[in-house]
PDB file of all heavy atoms in Angstrom:
ATOM      1  N   GLU A   1      -0.813  13.381  11.474  1.00 98.00           N
ATOM      2  CA  GLU A   1      -0.988  12.330  10.468  1.00 98.00           C
ATOM      3  C   GLU A   1       0.155  12.251   9.474  1.00 98.00           C
ATOM      4  O   GLU A   1       0.389  11.207   8.863  1.00 98.00           O
ATOM      5  CB  GLU A   1      -2.289  12.537   9.692  1.00 98.00           C
ATOM      6  CG  GLU A   1      -2.304  13.752   8.781  1.00 98.00           C
ATOM      7  CD  GLU A   1      -3.364  13.665   7.686  1.00 98.00           C
ATOM      8  OE1 GLU A   1      -3.829  12.558   7.374  1.00 98.00           O
ATOM      9  OE2 GLU A   1      -3.716  14.725   7.130  1.00 98.00           O
ATOM     10  N   ARG A   2       0.897  13.363   9.291  1.00 98.00           N
ATOM     11  CA  ARG A   2       1.953  13.371   8.281  1.00 98.00           C
ATOM     12  C   ARG A   2       3.129  12.470   8.627  1.00 98.00           C
ATOM     13  O   ARG A   2       3.914  12.106   7.745  1.00 98.00           O
ATOM     14  CB  ARG A   2       2.436  14.802   8.057  1.00 98.00           C
ATOM     15  CG  ARG A   2       1.444  15.676   7.310  1.00 98.00           C
ATOM     16  CD  ARG A   2       1.850  17.133   7.302  1.00 98.00           C
ATOM     17  NE  ARG A   2       1.673  17.741   8.621  1.00 98.00           N
ATOM     18  CZ  ARG A   2       1.917  19.023   8.883  1.00 98.00           C
ATOM     19  NH1 ARG A   2       2.377  19.821   7.935  1.00 98.00           N
ATOM     20  NH2 ARG A   2       1.727  19.510  10.106  1.00 98.00           N
ATOM     21  N   ILE A   3       3.255  12.092   9.913  1.00 98.00           N
ATOM     22  CA  ILE A   3       4.372  11.231  10.304  1.00 98.00           C
ATOM     23  C   ILE A   3       3.880   9.836  10.696  1.00 98.00           C
ATOM     24  O   ILE A   3       4.564   9.096  11.395  1.00 98.00           O
ATOM     25  CB  ILE A   3       5.200  11.876  11.432  1.00 98.00           C
ATOM     26  CG1 ILE A   3       4.349  12.202  12.659  1.00 98.00           C
ATOM     27  CG2 ILE A   3       5.876  13.143  10.919  1.00 98.00           C
ATOM     28  CD1 ILE A   3       5.155  12.737  13.839  1.00 98.00           C
ATOM     29  N   VAL A   4       2.709   9.477  10.185  1.00 98.00           N
ATOM     30  CA  VAL A   4       2.055   8.210  10.507  1.00 98.00           C
ATOM     31  C   VAL A   4       1.863   7.420   9.217  1.00 98.00           C
ATOM     32  O   VAL A   4       1.752   7.995   8.141  1.00 98.00           O
ATOM     33  CB  VAL A   4       0.689   8.472  11.176  1.00 98.00           C
ATOM     34  CG1 VAL A   4      -0.079   7.173  11.412  1.00 98.00           C
ATOM     35  CG2 VAL A   4       0.872   9.230  12.487  1.00 98.00           C
ATOM     36  N   ALA A   5       1.821   6.093   9.329  1.00 98.00           N
ATOM     37  CA  ALA A   5       1.514   5.239   8.172  1.00 98.00           C
ATOM     38  C   ALA A   5       0.649   4.070   8.613  1.00 98.00           C
ATOM     39  O   ALA A   5       0.621   3.710   9.797  1.00 98.00           O
ATOM     40  CB  ALA A   5       2.792   4.719   7.520  1.00 98.00           C
ATOM     41  N   ALA A   6      -0.046   3.499   7.648  1.00 98.00           N
ATOM     42  CA  ALA A   6      -0.791   2.273   7.915  1.00 98.00           C
ATOM     43  C   ALA A   6       0.182   1.148   8.243  1.00 98.00           C
ATOM     44  O   ALA A   6       1.247   1.024   7.624  1.00 98.00           O
ATOM     45  CB  ALA A   6      -1.640   1.895   6.704  1.00 98.00           C
ATOM     46  N   MET A   7      -0.172   0.341   9.229  1.00 98.00           N
ATOM     47  CA  MET A   7       0.687  -0.768   9.636  1.00 98.00           C
ATOM     48  C   MET A   7       0.878  -1.770   8.497  1.00 98.00           C
ATOM     49  O   MET A   7      -0.016  -1.959   7.681  1.00 98.00           O
ATOM     50  CB  MET A   7       0.048  -1.519  10.820  1.00 98.00           C
ATOM     51  CG  MET A   7       0.432  -1.030  12.182  1.00 98.00           C
ATOM     52  SD  MET A   7      -0.475  -1.900  13.499  1.00 98.00           S
ATOM     53  CE  MET A   7      -0.385  -3.618  12.961  1.00 98.00           C
ATOM     54  N   PRO A   8       2.035  -2.448   8.474  1.00 98.00           N
ATOM     55  CA  PRO A   8       2.168  -3.578   7.558  1.00 98.00           C
ATOM     56  C   PRO A   8       1.069  -4.604   7.819  1.00 98.00           C
ATOM     57  O   PRO A   8       0.774  -4.930   8.970  1.00 98.00           O
ATOM     58  CB  PRO A   8       3.555  -4.142   7.893  1.00 98.00           C
ATOM     59  CG  PRO A   8       4.297  -3.002   8.518  1.00 98.00           C
ATOM     60  CD  PRO A   8       3.260  -2.216   9.259  1.00 98.00           C
ATOM     61  N   LYS A   9       0.457  -5.098   6.761  1.00 98.00           N
ATOM     62  CA  LYS A   9      -0.657  -6.039   6.911  1.00 98.00           C
ATOM     63  C   LYS A   9      -0.209  -7.373   7.486  1.00 98.00           C
ATOM     64  O   LYS A   9      -1.002  -8.100   8.090  1.00 98.00           O
ATOM     65  CB  LYS A   9      -1.338  -6.258   5.564  1.00 98.00           C
ATOM     66  CG  LYS A   9      -2.043  -5.015   5.020  1.00 98.00           C
ATOM     67  CD  LYS A   9      -2.684  -5.297   3.676  1.00 98.00           C
ATOM     68  CE  LYS A   9      -3.515  -4.102   3.188  1.00 98.00           C
ATOM     69  NZ  LYS A   9      -2.693  -2.897   3.017  1.00 98.00           N
ATOM     70  N   SER A  10       1.069  -7.696   7.331  1.00 98.00           N
ATOM     71  CA  SER A  10       1.567  -9.006   7.755  1.00 98.00           C
ATOM     72  C   SER A  10       2.034  -9.031   9.205  1.00 98.00           C
ATOM     73  O   SER A  10       2.464 -10.084   9.699  1.00 98.00           O
ATOM     74  CB  SER A  10       2.724  -9.436   6.847  1.00 98.00           C
ATOM     75  OG  SER A  10       3.763  -8.466   6.852  1.00 98.00           O
ATOM     76  N   LEU A  11       1.974  -7.889   9.917  1.00 98.00           N
ATOM     77  CA  LEU A  11       2.474  -7.823  11.286  1.00 98.00           C
ATOM     78  C   LEU A  11       1.346  -7.567  12.272  1.00 98.00           C
ATOM     79  O   LEU A  11       0.343  -6.940  11.944  1.00 98.00           O
ATOM     80  CB  LEU A  11       3.509  -6.704  11.431  1.00 98.00           C
ATOM     81  CG  LEU A  11       4.764  -6.781  10.571  1.00 98.00           C
ATOM     82  CD1 LEU A  11       5.718  -5.651  10.951  1.00 98.00           C
ATOM     83  CD2 LEU A  11       5.460  -8.124  10.698  1.00 98.00           C
ATOM     84  N   ASP A  12       1.537  -8.041  13.506  1.00 98.00           N
ATOM     85  CA  ASP A  12       0.622  -7.650  14.577  1.00 98.00           C
ATOM     86  C   ASP A  12       1.139  -6.349  15.205  1.00 98.00           C
ATOM     87  O   ASP A  12       2.165  -5.799  14.803  1.00 98.00           O
ATOM     88  CB  ASP A  12       0.445  -8.772  15.601  1.00 98.00           C
ATOM     89  CG  ASP A  12       1.731  -9.155  16.332  1.00 98.00           C
ATOM     90  OD1 ASP A  12       2.641  -8.302  16.447  1.00 98.00           O
ATOM     91  OD2 ASP A  12       1.827 -10.310  16.806  1.00 98.00           O
ATOM     92  N   PHE A  13       0.390  -5.849  16.207  1.00 98.00           N
ATOM     93  CA  PHE A  13       0.736  -4.550  16.773  1.00 98.00           C
ATOM     94  C   PHE A  13       2.128  -4.540  17.397  1.00 98.00           C
ATOM     95  O   PHE A  13       2.889  -3.583  17.237  1.00 98.00           O
ATOM     96  CB  PHE A  13      -0.313  -4.125  17.812  1.00 98.00           C
ATOM     97  CG  PHE A  13      -1.636  -3.765  17.210  1.00 98.00           C
ATOM     98  CD1 PHE A  13      -2.711  -4.627  17.308  1.00 98.00           C
ATOM     99  CD2 PHE A  13      -1.807  -2.569  16.540  1.00 98.00           C
ATOM    100  CE1 PHE A  13      -3.946  -4.293  16.750  1.00 98.00           C
ATOM    101  CE2 PHE A  13      -3.030  -2.220  15.980  1.00 98.00           C
ATOM    102  CZ  PHE A  13      -4.107  -3.090  16.084  1.00 98.00           C
ATOM    103  N   ALA A  14       2.480  -5.580  18.123  1.00 98.00           N
ATOM    104  CA  ALA A  14       3.789  -5.620  18.774  1.00 98.00           C
ATOM    105  C   ALA A  14       4.915  -5.650  17.752  1.00 98.00           C
ATOM    106  O   ALA A  14       5.937  -4.959  17.898  1.00 98.00           O
ATOM    107  CB  ALA A  14       3.877  -6.830  19.704  1.00 98.00           C
ATOM    108  N   GLN A  15       4.753  -6.452  16.714  1.00 98.00           N
ATOM    109  CA  GLN A  15       5.784  -6.529  15.681  1.00 98.00           C
ATOM    110  C   GLN A  15       5.945  -5.194  14.966  1.00 98.00           C
ATOM    111  O   GLN A  15       7.056  -4.779  14.637  1.00 98.00           O
ATOM    112  CB  GLN A  15       5.420  -7.619  14.687  1.00 98.00           C
ATOM    113  CG  GLN A  15       5.480  -9.025  15.260  1.00 98.00           C
ATOM    114  CD  GLN A  15       4.824 -10.046  14.349  1.00 98.00           C
ATOM    115  OE1 GLN A  15       3.830  -9.754  13.656  1.00 98.00           O
ATOM    116  NE2 GLN A  15       5.355 -11.256  14.328  1.00 98.00           N
ATOM    117  N   ALA A  16       4.833  -4.498  14.737  1.00 98.00           N
ATOM    118  CA  ALA A  16       4.896  -3.208  14.050  1.00 98.00           C
ATOM    119  C   ALA A  16       5.487  -2.118  14.937  1.00 98.00           C
ATOM    120  O   ALA A  16       6.236  -1.251  14.464  1.00 98.00           O
ATOM    121  CB  ALA A  16       3.500  -2.798  13.579  1.00 98.00           C
ATOM    122  N   ALA A  17       5.187  -2.154  16.238  1.00 98.00           N
ATOM    123  CA  ALA A  17       5.665  -1.115  17.148  1.00 98.00           C
ATOM    124  C   ALA A  17       7.183  -1.118  17.276  1.00 98.00           C
ATOM    125  O   ALA A  17       7.778  -0.121  17.701  1.00 98.00           O
ATOM    126  CB  ALA A  17       5.026  -1.288  18.521  1.00 98.00           C
ATOM    127  N   ALA A  18       7.831  -2.213  16.933  1.00 97.00           N
ATOM    128  CA  ALA A  18       9.290  -2.286  17.023  1.00 97.00           C
ATOM    129  C   ALA A  18       9.991  -1.447  15.957  1.00 97.00           C
ATOM    130  O   ALA A  18      11.193  -1.191  16.076  1.00 97.00           O
ATOM    131  CB  ALA A  18       9.745  -3.739  16.902  1.00 97.00           C
ATOM    132  N   LEU A  19       9.277  -0.987  14.931  1.00 98.00           N
ATOM    133  CA  LEU A  19       9.939  -0.534  13.716  1.00 98.00           C
ATOM    134  C   LEU A  19      10.063   0.974  13.463  1.00 98.00           C
ATOM    135  O   LEU A  19      11.035   1.396  12.836  1.00 98.00           O
ATOM    136  CB  LEU A  19       9.231  -1.155  12.498  1.00 98.00           C
ATOM    137  CG  LEU A  19       9.315  -2.679  12.400  1.00 98.00           C
ATOM    138  CD1 LEU A  19       8.460  -3.173  11.236  1.00 98.00           C
ATOM    139  CD2 LEU A  19      10.754  -3.120  12.227  1.00 98.00           C
ATOM    140  N   PRO A  20       9.114   1.820  13.832  1.00 98.00           N
ATOM    141  CA  PRO A  20       9.121   3.178  13.262  1.00 98.00           C
ATOM    142  C   PRO A  20      10.368   4.014  13.525  1.00 98.00           C
ATOM    143  O   PRO A  20      10.990   4.511  12.573  1.00 98.00           O
ATOM    144  CB  PRO A  20       7.875   3.828  13.883  1.00 98.00           C
ATOM    145  CG  PRO A  20       6.971   2.678  14.184  1.00 98.00           C
ATOM    146  CD  PRO A  20       7.882   1.565  14.603  1.00 98.00           C
ATOM    147  N   LEU A  21      10.737   4.244  14.785  1.00 98.00           N
ATOM    148  CA  LEU A  21      11.830   5.174  15.066  1.00 98.00           C
ATOM    149  C   LEU A  21      13.139   4.710  14.445  1.00 98.00           C
ATOM    150  O   LEU A  21      13.860   5.497  13.822  1.00 98.00           O
ATOM    151  CB  LEU A  21      12.009   5.360  16.576  1.00 98.00           C
ATOM    152  CG  LEU A  21      13.018   6.450  16.945  1.00 98.00           C
ATOM    153  CD1 LEU A  21      12.424   7.831  16.718  1.00 98.00           C
ATOM    154  CD2 LEU A  21      13.498   6.302  18.371  1.00 98.00           C
ATOM    155  N   THR A  22      13.458   3.441  14.594  1.00 97.00           N
ATOM    156  CA  THR A  22      14.731   2.948  14.067  1.00 97.00           C
ATOM    157  C   THR A  22      14.733   2.933  12.543  1.00 97.00           C
ATOM    158  O   THR A  22      15.781   3.138  11.922  1.00 97.00           O
ATOM    159  CB  THR A  22      15.031   1.544  14.604  1.00 97.00           C
ATOM    160  OG1 THR A  22      13.930   0.674  14.315  1.00 97.00           O
ATOM    161  CG2 THR A  22      15.263   1.584  16.104  1.00 97.00           C
ATOM    162  N   THR A  23      13.581   2.699  11.931  1.00 98.00           N
ATOM    163  CA  THR A  23      13.508   2.781  10.472  1.00 98.00           C
ATOM    164  C   THR A  23      13.752   4.199  10.002  1.00 98.00           C
ATOM    165  O   THR A  23      14.551   4.436   9.080  1.00 98.00           O
ATOM    166  CB  THR A  23      12.138   2.309   9.970  1.00 98.00           C
ATOM    167  OG1 THR A  23      11.967   0.932  10.283  1.00 98.00           O
ATOM    168  CG2 THR A  23      12.012   2.499   8.466  1.00 98.00           C
ATOM    169  N   LEU A  24      13.077   5.165  10.621  1.00 98.00           N
ATOM    170  CA  LEU A  24      13.264   6.552  10.217  1.00 98.00           C
ATOM    171  C   LEU A  24      14.705   6.994  10.422  1.00 98.00           C
ATOM    172  O   LEU A  24      15.297   7.654   9.554  1.00 98.00           O
ATOM    173  CB  LEU A  24      12.313   7.446  11.007  1.00 98.00           C
ATOM    174  CG  LEU A  24      10.824   7.253  10.721  1.00 98.00           C
ATOM    175  CD1 LEU A  24       9.983   8.021  11.728  1.00 98.00           C
ATOM    176  CD2 LEU A  24      10.471   7.666   9.303  1.00 98.00           C
ATOM    177  N   ALA A  25      15.286   6.638  11.557  1.00 97.00           N
ATOM    178  CA  ALA A  25      16.665   7.040  11.836  1.00 97.00           C
ATOM    179  C   ALA A  25      17.628   6.443  10.815  1.00 97.00           C
ATOM    180  O   ALA A  25      18.490   7.151  10.268  1.00 97.00           O
ATOM    181  CB  ALA A  25      17.055   6.613  13.242  1.00 97.00           C
ATOM    182  N   SER A  26      17.507   5.160  10.556  1.00 98.00           N
ATOM    183  CA  SER A  26      18.449   4.504   9.645  1.00 98.00           C
ATOM    184  C   SER A  26      18.210   4.926   8.200  1.00 98.00           C
ATOM    185  O   SER A  26      19.168   5.148   7.445  1.00 98.00           O
ATOM    186  CB  SER A  26      18.365   2.986   9.793  1.00 98.00           C
ATOM    187  OG  SER A  26      17.048   2.516   9.635  1.00 98.00           O
ATOM    188  N   TRP A  27      16.955   5.080   7.791  1.00 98.00           N
ATOM    189  CA  TRP A  27      16.637   5.481   6.416  1.00 98.00           C
ATOM    190  C   TRP A  27      17.159   6.885   6.139  1.00 98.00           C
ATOM    191  O   TRP A  27      17.827   7.122   5.124  1.00 98.00           O
ATOM    192  CB  TRP A  27      15.124   5.425   6.203  1.00 98.00           C
ATOM    193  CG  TRP A  27      14.680   5.565   4.776  1.00 98.00           C
ATOM    194  CD1 TRP A  27      14.872   6.640   3.953  1.00 98.00           C
ATOM    195  CD2 TRP A  27      13.965   4.587   3.998  1.00 98.00           C
ATOM    196  NE1 TRP A  27      14.313   6.405   2.731  1.00 98.00           N
ATOM    197  CE2 TRP A  27      13.751   5.164   2.722  1.00 98.00           C
ATOM    198  CE3 TRP A  27      13.475   3.324   4.280  1.00 98.00           C
ATOM    199  CZ2 TRP A  27      13.060   4.479   1.712  1.00 98.00           C
ATOM    200  CZ3 TRP A  27      12.784   2.644   3.272  1.00 98.00           C
ATOM    201  CH2 TRP A  27      12.595   3.213   2.009  1.00 98.00           C
ATOM    202  N   GLU A  28      16.841   7.823   7.031  1.00 98.00           N
ATOM    203  CA  GLU A  28      17.279   9.202   6.820  1.00 98.00           C
ATOM    204  C   GLU A  28      18.799   9.323   6.853  1.00 98.00           C
ATOM    205  O   GLU A  28      19.392  10.043   6.048  1.00 98.00           O
ATOM    206  CB  GLU A  28      16.647  10.114   7.871  1.00 98.00           C
ATOM    207  CG  GLU A  28      15.147  10.286   7.691  1.00 98.00           C
ATOM    208  CD  GLU A  28      14.496  11.098   8.802  1.00 98.00           C
ATOM    209  OE1 GLU A  28      15.138  11.294   9.860  1.00 98.00           O
ATOM    210  OE2 GLU A  28      13.349  11.529   8.604  1.00 98.00           O
ATOM    211  N   LEU A  29      19.433   8.612   7.775  1.00 98.00           N
ATOM    212  CA  LEU A  29      20.896   8.664   7.863  1.00 98.00           C
ATOM    213  C   LEU A  29      21.529   8.049   6.624  1.00 98.00           C
ATOM    214  O   LEU A  29      22.484   8.599   6.056  1.00 98.00           O
ATOM    215  CB  LEU A  29      21.354   7.930   9.120  1.00 98.00           C
ATOM    216  CG  LEU A  29      22.779   8.176   9.615  1.00 98.00           C
ATOM    217  CD1 LEU A  29      23.032   9.649   9.870  1.00 98.00           C
ATOM    218  CD2 LEU A  29      23.030   7.375  10.884  1.00 98.00           C
ATOM    219  N   LEU A  30      20.995   6.924   6.169  1.00 98.00           N
ATOM    220  CA  LEU A  30      21.585   6.202   5.043  1.00 98.00           C
ATOM    221  C   LEU A  30      21.384   6.939   3.726  1.00 98.00           C
ATOM    222  O   LEU A  30      22.332   7.126   2.953  1.00 98.00           O
ATOM    223  CB  LEU A  30      20.966   4.804   4.965  1.00 98.00           C
ATOM    224  CG  LEU A  30      21.544   3.839   3.924  1.00 98.00           C
ATOM    225  CD1 LEU A  30      23.019   3.570   4.183  1.00 98.00           C
ATOM    226  CD2 LEU A  30      20.758   2.522   3.941  1.00 98.00           C
ATOM    227  N   PHE A  31      20.153   7.384   3.466  1.00 98.00           N
ATOM    228  CA  PHE A  31      19.846   7.940   2.149  1.00 98.00           C
ATOM    229  C   PHE A  31      19.908   9.473   2.103  1.00 98.00           C
ATOM    230  O   PHE A  31      20.347  10.044   1.104  1.00 98.00           O
ATOM    231  CB  PHE A  31      18.477   7.455   1.680  1.00 98.00           C
ATOM    232  CG  PHE A  31      18.429   5.977   1.439  1.00 98.00           C
ATOM    233  CD1 PHE A  31      17.682   5.155   2.265  1.00 98.00           C
ATOM    234  CD2 PHE A  31      19.147   5.398   0.406  1.00 98.00           C
ATOM    235  CE1 PHE A  31      17.636   3.779   2.058  1.00 98.00           C
ATOM    236  CE2 PHE A  31      19.117   4.030   0.189  1.00 98.00           C
ATOM    237  CZ  PHE A  31      18.363   3.217   1.019  1.00 98.00           C
ATOM    238  N   ASP A  32      19.488  10.160   3.165  1.00 97.00           N
ATOM    239  CA  ASP A  32      19.499  11.624   3.149  1.00 97.00           C
ATOM    240  C   ASP A  32      20.861  12.195   3.522  1.00 97.00           C
ATOM    241  O   ASP A  32      21.285  13.202   2.943  1.00 97.00           O
ATOM    242  CB  ASP A  32      18.454  12.184   4.114  1.00 97.00           C
ATOM    243  CG  ASP A  32      17.039  11.824   3.727  1.00 97.00           C
ATOM    244  OD1 ASP A  32      16.831  11.362   2.593  1.00 97.00           O
ATOM    245  OD2 ASP A  32      16.133  11.999   4.565  1.00 97.00           O
ATOM    246  N   ARG A  33      21.539  11.608   4.491  1.00 97.00           N
ATOM    247  CA  ARG A  33      22.808  12.158   4.969  1.00 97.00           C
ATOM    248  C   ARG A  33      24.010  11.521   4.250  1.00 97.00           C
ATOM    249  O   ARG A  33      24.879  12.216   3.762  1.00 97.00           O
ATOM    250  CB  ARG A  33      22.938  11.956   6.475  1.00 97.00           C
ATOM    251  CG  ARG A  33      21.816  12.593   7.266  1.00 97.00           C
ATOM    252  CD  ARG A  33      21.862  14.121   7.254  1.00 97.00           C
ATOM    253  NE  ARG A  33      20.645  14.671   7.834  1.00 97.00           N
ATOM    254  CZ  ARG A  33      19.591  15.080   7.136  1.00 97.00           C
ATOM    255  NH1 ARG A  33      19.618  15.011   5.815  1.00 97.00           N
ATOM    256  NH2 ARG A  33      18.512  15.555   7.717  1.00 97.00           N
ATOM    257  N   LEU A  34      24.073  10.197   4.226  1.00 97.00           N
ATOM    258  CA  LEU A  34      25.212   9.521   3.590  1.00 97.00           C
ATOM    259  C   LEU A  34      25.025   9.350   2.092  1.00 97.00           C
ATOM    260  O   LEU A  34      25.957   8.972   1.381  1.00 97.00           O
ATOM    261  CB  LEU A  34      25.435   8.151   4.247  1.00 97.00           C
ATOM    262  CG  LEU A  34      25.828   8.182   5.719  1.00 97.00           C
ATOM    263  CD1 LEU A  34      26.021   6.766   6.253  1.00 97.00           C
ATOM    264  CD2 LEU A  34      27.098   8.999   5.944  1.00 97.00           C
ATOM    265  N   VAL A  35      23.841   9.633   1.598  1.00 97.00           N
ATOM    266  CA  VAL A  35      23.515   9.613   0.168  1.00 97.00           C
ATOM    267  C   VAL A  35      23.871   8.270  -0.458  1.00 97.00           C
ATOM    268  O   VAL A  35      24.528   8.200  -1.506  1.00 97.00           O
ATOM    269  CB  VAL A  35      24.185  10.786  -0.598  1.00 97.00           C
ATOM    270  CG1 VAL A  35      23.508  11.012  -1.947  1.00 97.00           C
ATOM    271  CG2 VAL A  35      24.123  12.070   0.214  1.00 97.00           C
ATOM    272  N   ALA A  36      23.475   7.191   0.216  1.00 97.00           N
ATOM    273  CA  ALA A  36      23.583   5.869  -0.406  1.00 97.00           C
ATOM    274  C   ALA A  36      22.692   5.849  -1.643  1.00 97.00           C
ATOM    275  O   ALA A  36      21.641   6.495  -1.690  1.00 97.00           O
ATOM    276  CB  ALA A  36      23.153   4.793   0.579  1.00 97.00           C
ATOM    277  N   ARG A  37      23.107   5.093  -2.650  1.00 97.00           N
ATOM    278  CA  ARG A  37      22.390   5.075  -3.922  1.00 97.00           C
ATOM    279  C   ARG A  37      21.505   3.826  -3.995  1.00 97.00           C
ATOM    280  O   ARG A  37      22.017   2.710  -4.126  1.00 97.00           O
ATOM    281  CB  ARG A  37      23.381   5.106  -5.080  1.00 97.00           C
ATOM    282  CG  ARG A  37      24.209   6.383  -5.115  1.00 97.00           C
ATOM    283  CD  ARG A  37      25.095   6.463  -6.343  1.00 97.00           C
ATOM    284  NE  ARG A  37      26.247   5.580  -6.257  1.00 97.00           N
ATOM    285  CZ  ARG A  37      27.418   5.931  -5.719  1.00 97.00           C
ATOM    286  NH1 ARG A  37      27.573   7.130  -5.178  1.00 97.00           N
ATOM    287  NH2 ARG A  37      28.423   5.072  -5.696  1.00 97.00           N
ATOM    288  N   PRO A  38      20.184   3.998  -3.932  1.00 97.00           N
ATOM    289  CA  PRO A  38      19.309   2.826  -4.001  1.00 97.00           C
ATOM    290  C   PRO A  38      19.281   2.235  -5.407  1.00 97.00           C
ATOM    291  O   PRO A  38      19.496   2.941  -6.399  1.00 97.00           O
ATOM    292  CB  PRO A  38      17.935   3.379  -3.606  1.00 97.00           C
ATOM    293  CG  PRO A  38      17.999   4.827  -3.932  1.00 97.00           C
ATOM    294  CD  PRO A  38      19.429   5.241  -3.732  1.00 97.00           C
ATOM    295  N   ARG A  39      19.034   0.932  -5.473  1.00 96.00           N
ATOM    296  CA  ARG A  39      18.895   0.290  -6.775  1.00 96.00           C
ATOM    297  C   ARG A  39      17.730   0.933  -7.535  1.00 96.00           C
ATOM    298  O   ARG A  39      16.761   1.377  -6.932  1.00 96.00           O
ATOM    299  CB  ARG A  39      18.629  -1.215  -6.593  1.00 96.00           C
ATOM    300  CG  ARG A  39      19.729  -1.963  -5.887  1.00 96.00           C
ATOM    301  CD  ARG A  39      19.471  -3.476  -5.954  1.00 96.00           C
ATOM    302  NE  ARG A  39      20.366  -4.168  -5.043  1.00 96.00           N
ATOM    303  CZ  ARG A  39      20.023  -4.546  -3.801  1.00 96.00           C
ATOM    304  NH1 ARG A  39      18.800  -4.322  -3.360  1.00 96.00           N
ATOM    305  NH2 ARG A  39      20.889  -5.161  -3.028  1.00 96.00           N
TER     306      ARG A  39
END
């Protein structure tokens, strides 16, 4: 459960299934590794 989240309410299952792995990869690389500064 720790690596799971509730789906976006505005998406259906197919639209939501497109997102998790690439979001985690890009988010962690951008903010944890490259230390981009969020607004």
Side-chain angles (χ1 to χ4, degrees):
E1 69 160 340
R2 288 171 288 182
I3 57 175
V4 175
M7 269 176 44
K9 294 179 174 61
S10 57
L11 300 185
D12 62 26
F13 290 105
Q15 292 167 326
L19 296 174
L21 187 75
T22 55
T23 296
L24 294 170
S26 54
W27 191 298
E28 291 175 345
L29 196 57
L30 185 61
F31 295 111
D32 296 347
R33 302 290 170 263
L34 296 180
V35 198
R37 297 186 285 271
R39 299 189 192 97

